[in-house]
Amino acid sequence: RTDKDVSYEVEGGNIYFDKTTGLITGADNTVTKVDIPLYIDKVLVLGIDDYAFFNCGNLKEVSMKTEPKTIGKKAFAYTGLKKITLSQKITTIGESAFAYCPIGANAFEQSALTTITMPKALTEVPENCFNGCSALKTIGLNTGVKTISKNALKGCSSLLNITIPANVETIGESAFEDCTKLYNVIFN
């Protein structure tokens, strides 16, 4: 965050925005819920910068239903994030963007994600987590995953292959239903 950033009020505090880059650069650690607007101070919001919400432990919900195309490295790492609605225009999610988040059911449902690597601390791919993510081609599951829940990847019609880590004990009902292009499943 720099002195040039403008503040924008949200539930629990402020987020900060760089008008020259179009990126949200930071947030007060008291922020609890963020609905990212299309514009801040008449400038189009293009993305979330690296570390923007890092360690905002009170942050439980984020909605970016409009424009943002990028989420930077560790942007939401170490938050209390339980629900996120991604922009349909998201093309890039940075390394460890959601590391150590208690990501819950429906976290990425119907998003336009094409590639995601799940955080190392995640032990479950929650119910409906990627349901309807028809553009998702690649998902990296970490070795700590023990459960792939019901409908977790249902409707991921572009998913080509997946490696199921050795620690997976449970694959829920319809976890891969309608993954019509899935042709290569490797069990480690």
Side-chain angles (χ1 to χ4, degrees):
R1 198 164 87 196
T2 68
D3 292 339
K4 296 181 211 169
D5 291 350
V6 296
S7 62
Y8 181 85
E9 190 172 349
V10 296
E11 282 188 38
N14 292 306
I15 59 174
Y16 299 93
F17 179 71
D18 183 332
K19 290 172 62 172
T20 59
T21 63
L23 298 176
I24 293 174
T25 58
D28 297 334
N29 64 4
T30 55
V31 167
T32 57
K33 181 180 178 186
V34 177
D35 290 316
I36 297 173
L38 183 58
Y39 294 93
I40 293 178
D41 213 26
K42 298 181 183 177
V43 176
L44 186 64
V45 176
L46 297 175
I48 315 296
D49 206 359
D50 293 349
Y51 299 93
F53 294 94
F54 184 84
N55 210 24
C56 289
N58 295 311
L59 182 61
K60 304 291 185 229
E61 187 173 340
V62 172
S63 177
M64 53 181 90
K65 297 174 187 165
T66 54
E67 185 63 31
K69 293 179 180 162
T70 63
I71 296 175
K73 177 172 67 174
K74 295 190 178 182
F76 294 100
Y78 296 95
T79 64
L81 198 60
K82 291 185 183 268
K83 181 177 181 185
I84 184 164
T85 304
L86 293 177
S87 159
Q88 292 297 314
K89 296 183 179 182
I90 289 283
T91 57
T92 305
I93 294 180
E95 176 185 329
S96 301
F98 298 97
Y100 302 97
C101 291
I103 294 171
N106 306 84
F108 299 102
E109 186 172 9
Q110 301 288 325
S111 76
L113 286 174
T114 58
T115 302
I116 189 165
T117 300
M118 300 303 286
K120 288 185 172 110
L122 197 69
T123 58
E124 174 188 13
V125 181
E127 187 172 324
N128 294 308
C129 189
F130 296 101
N131 189 347
C133 293
S134 59
L136 187 65
K137 291 180 181 178
T138 307
I139 182 167
L141 299 178
N142 67 73
T143 56
V145 171
K146 293 181 180 181
T147 303
I148 300 173
S149 297
K150 178 181 177 183
N151 300 325
L153 293 151
K154 180 179 179 179
C156 293
S157 56
S158 295
L159 189 63
L160 301 173
N161 50 62
I162 189 165
T163 300
I164 309 291
N167 291 340
V168 171
E169 299 166 354
T170 306
I171 297 177
E173 177 184 336
S174 301
F176 297 99
E177 184 177 324
D178 295 327
C179 293
T180 54
K181 292 184 181 173
L182 184 60
Y183 70 91
N184 193 16
V185 179
I186 299 169
F187 290 89
N188 271 349

